[in-house]
Amino acid sequence: MDATARPEDTGSQPDFDGMFQIVTSFWVARAVHAATALGLPDHLAAEPRTAAELATATGTDARALARLLRTLAGVGVLRSDAEGRYTTTPLGDALRSDIPGSLASFVQMELGEAHHATWGLLVDSVRSGEPVFERAVGKKIWQFFEDTPAMNAHLGKAMTGLTAMVADAVLDVYDFAPHRRIVDVGGGEGGFLASILTAHPGAHGVVLDLPHVVAHGRPRIEAAGLADRCELVGGDFFEKVPEGGDLYTMKWVLHDWDDASAVQILKSCRRVMGDDARLLVVDTVVPEGDGFSPSKIIDLNMMVLSGGQERTAEEFQRLLAAAGFTLTRILPTRSPSSVVEAVPVPVSQT
């Protein structure tokens, strides 16, 4: 094609409207963050309210708040009636903090200032191939959460809310019934393992994560009535993983890390696994081709935050092989995550 040809010469026109919508989605996301930070969905949970009433409840400027409310209604988060009273839509209800699976903390975390500043350095991350969170915030991401109690609480709640959604999807496609001792590596506050143990009363489990993380999980495990079947262990999965499991699970762990670190984590698991044990990795799997997939957006997020990545099926196969595993199957779920199953290569064959 002639390099000097104009778009109209090629039979196509630039899609200005579509690109404008993509660019301004950044503004919409920040409006959703503002609504969540102000607790608007919670204030509207009991009854409809006017902008003036909400301004009083939230300590905001009534006129400015009215403009925010109007925008949120325009994108389907809220709706208003003839009297100017606002209520949440099903989309807005996802931001209420009092519902199972709430995305309120996820919004506070992902659209908060630390993540926002990090994404502002995306170009630098692309140029260098390195994460930029430390440059934007002044410390590595895991240290930031450990040192910032409010954000660490949002992290815990966000992972619990998202885990509630993905756990049911995983249980739909994978049969946990044959397993009696399940070790969840990097299992956070135990939400994922709790869902599995609740569905399979004959199983016991162990959650491994950093000490300050599992400390928040103990009340949750007790409230679920699983204290006698679920042990929470504080530790470092780079150094030691609990022994004796016939199934080892990792949900949203490997995508936090580059390949070299991910192989180290997998090798920690392999060292304590018998040849008959199984490994389940719950992560997104990046599809081939140009179609949209949440995994491609999540991949950029991991790149700027921690240097981690989402992986294709081929990349998972290579990663697992490097740590002494054979990939046996990949099971898609109704969530963005898939179940990647692997078995240890027998010691006699290594």
Side-chain angles (χ1 to χ4, degrees):
M1 187 179 74
D2 183 355
T4 63
R6 295 173 299 177
E8 57 265 34
D9 297 332
T10 66
S12 64
Q13 294 291 327
D15 184 359
F16 294 111
D17 289 343
M19 183 51 65
F20 183 83
Q21 185 174 6
I22 290 174
V23 172
T24 57
S25 63
F26 158 71
W27 301 343
V28 174
R30 294 297 290 176
V32 168
H33 175 262
T36 308
L38 293 170
L40 296 179
D42 289 343
H43 285 295
L44 293 171
E47 59 183 358
R49 292 189 178 188
T50 65
E53 291 169 337
L54 285 168
T56 299
T58 59
T60 55
D61 180 84
R63 187 166 181 272
L65 183 62
R67 295 165 70 179
L68 175 62
L69 295 169
R70 179 177 63 187
T71 299
L72 293 168
V75 296
V77 175
L78 304 178
R79 66 167 65 94
S80 62
D81 61 19
E83 285 73 42
R85 297 175 302 176
Y86 285 90
T87 57
T88 53
T89 63
L91 188 63
D93 283 337
L95 301 175
R96 287 173 49 185
S97 64
D98 62 338
I99 62 167
S102 169
L103 292 178
S105 283
F106 179 72
V107 168
Q108 291 287 80
M109 182 178 69
E110 291 297 335
L111 298 177
E113 293 311 311
H115 284 54
H116 179 61
T118 301
W119 267 86
L121 299 176
L122 173 61
V123 171
D124 293 344
S125 188
V126 173
R127 284 177 173 147
S128 68
E130 299 293 330
V132 288
F133 187 93
E134 185 174 8
R135 177 177 162 191
V137 178
K139 57 185 71 176
K140 292 185 182 298
I141 186 168
W142 304 119
Q143 191 64 48
F144 166 77
F145 281 118
E146 187 171 354
D147 293 346
T148 315
M151 274 297 133
N152 193 54
H154 280 309
L155 173 64
K157 290 177 182 177
M159 291 302 100
T160 297
L162 294 172
T163 294
M165 293 190 294
V166 76
D168 286 344
V170 171
L171 285 164
D172 283 346
V173 302
Y174 194 85
D175 182 14
F176 290 88
H179 301 288
R180 289 293 172 263
R181 181 173 168 83
I182 302 167
V183 179
D184 194 16
V185 179
E189 297 180 5
F192 182 61
L193 185 55
S195 295
I196 297 171
L197 297 181
T198 299
H200 296 280
H204 289 68
V206 181
V207 175
L208 170 71
D209 214 308
L210 295 172
H212 74 275
V213 175
V214 295
H216 292 286
R218 288 190 174 88
R220 190 182 309 280
I221 294 300
E222 291 171 0
L226 296 170
D228 61 334
R229 292 198 289 129
C230 185
E231 180 184 359
L232 293 106
V233 176
D236 183 345
F237 48 47
F238 285 106
E239 297 178 359
K240 184 176 176 59
V241 170
E243 301 177 2
D246 58 2
L247 178 68
Y248 285 76
T249 59
M250 282 189 285
K251 177 185 62 62
W252 305 334
V253 172
L254 294 185
H255 79 159
D256 287 333
W257 304 94
D258 61 22
D259 283 350
S261 299
V263 168
Q264 280 187 267
I265 298 167
L266 288 167
K267 284 184 175 180
S268 290
C269 294
R270 181 62 188 95
R271 282 194 292 269
V272 298
M273 291 175 65
D275 288 349
D276 294 333
R278 270 176 162 65
L279 172 73
L280 290 191
V281 175
V282 178
D283 263 326
T284 67
V285 177
V286 182
E288 302 294 338
D290 293 338
F292 173 77
S293 169
S295 62
K296 298 176 182 180
I297 303 297
I298 299 170
D299 180 54
L300 284 184
N301 196 42
M302 304 319 300
M303 181 177 75
V304 299
L305 293 179
S306 66
Q309 67 181 91
E310 307 304 316
R311 295 175 171 90
T312 64
E314 183 179 345
E315 287 170 334
F316 269 116
Q317 187 172 27
R318 290 201 302 266
L319 193 74
L320 290 161
F325 291 93
T326 299
L327 191 157
T328 52
R329 54 179 173 161
I330 296 177
L331 301 173
T333 75
R334 53 184 166 84
S335 77
S337 296
S338 295
V339 177
V340 180
E341 183 191 60
V343 294
V345 176
V347 174
S348 60
Q349 298 179 20
T350 58

